Amino acid sequence: MVDYSKAPAYESPEREQLEGWLAFHRDTLKRKCEGLSDDQLRERSVPPSALSLLGLVRHMSEVERWWFITVLEREPFVMRYCDEETNRDGDFDDVDAANVAECFANFDEDCQNSRKAVATHASLDDLGDRRGVPVSLRWIMTHMIEEYARHNGHADLLRERIDGKTGD
């Protein structure tokens, strides 16, 4: 289920490594969802957890926009699935009636917008702003790789629970 042929080269410059691993993990999340029905994508792990594969895709859409568009590009944060005041976990909680195709299209769009934002920065040392704290593009990309790696582990367990398929 994981395609290591899409992992970055063993010997490549730092930026290429970071961009490559981020692309690899984005692809891995989508691969873990392939071949499942909408209902299977909505399946929760175990009560009381709201964790589902669709919730992970929606969550990573929000995270992509937060780190690359709001923090790095300093644009306002537009929450698609959540609300800071009344529904902080809407990305995970509100999957039962969600349009699955739309959620995946949003994820693809958010990843594309993130790639475009990264491409406008010549240096990994370029700074964004996280609530008044400077954050380098290098840190953001490293954090996003960590975020995907952690959630791809969750996705692997969810997929195994749904249909027994596992990945690396």
Side-chain angles (χ1 to χ4, degrees):
M1 192 180 302
V2 176
D3 186 355
Y4 281 105
S5 69
K6 295 186 178 189
Y10 289 125
E11 294 183 45
S12 57
E14 179 184 20
R15 186 177 186 122
E16 188 178 320
Q17 286 278 331
L18 292 171
E19 289 175 355
W21 278 111
L22 191 49
F24 173 82
H25 280 292
R26 287 171 176 147
D27 183 61
T28 297
L29 179 58
K30 288 177 67 173
R31 284 172 145 335
K32 300 237 181 240
C33 297
E34 285 178 350
L36 296 176
S37 70
D38 290 2
D39 286 339
Q40 287 174 313
L41 290 167
R42 290 184 182 104
E43 264 186 55
R44 311 304 176 128
S45 57
V46 290
S49 176
L51 193 62
S52 68
L53 287 167
L54 185 58
L56 287 172
V57 169
R58 289 161 50 104
H59 174 69
M60 292 312 298
S61 271
E62 298 280 41
V63 173
E64 288 275 351
R65 279 193 322 285
W66 167 254
W67 284 106
F68 291 110
I69 306 307
T70 300
V71 174
L72 182 62
E73 295 300 291
R74 301 169 191 243
E75 293 181 16
F77 187 42
V78 178
M79 296 180 114
R80 185 175 276 141
Y81 305 113
C82 304
D83 179 298
E84 278 293 324
E85 302 300 318
T86 61
N87 193 10
R88 291 187 61 121
D89 294 320
D91 45 357
F92 291 111
D93 293 342
D94 300 336
V95 298
D96 294 331
N99 180 316
V100 172
E102 183 179 288
C103 293
F104 277 89
N106 291 339
F107 177 75
D108 289 340
E109 178 185 354
D110 290 330
C111 291
Q112 181 61 28
N113 289 338
S114 295
R115 283 189 289 274
K116 287 178 185 176
V118 168
T120 67
H121 293 269
S123 172
L124 292 172
D125 294 323
D126 286 357
L127 296 175
D129 183 292
R130 182 181 186 265
R131 299 181 177 125
V133 177
V135 183
S136 72
L137 174 56
R138 177 182 291 102
W139 190 96
I140 291 169
M141 293 182 78
T142 302
H143 170 69
M144 287 298 292
I145 292 165
E146 174 273 328
E147 180 97 4
Y148 271 103
R150 181 167 23 98
H151 288 314
N152 283 339
H154 297 140
D156 201 33
L157 292 170
L158 286 161
R159 181 66 189 247
E160 184 176 11
R161 182 184 172 279
I162 291 167
D163 70 356
K165 288 189 179 178
T166 60
D168 295 329

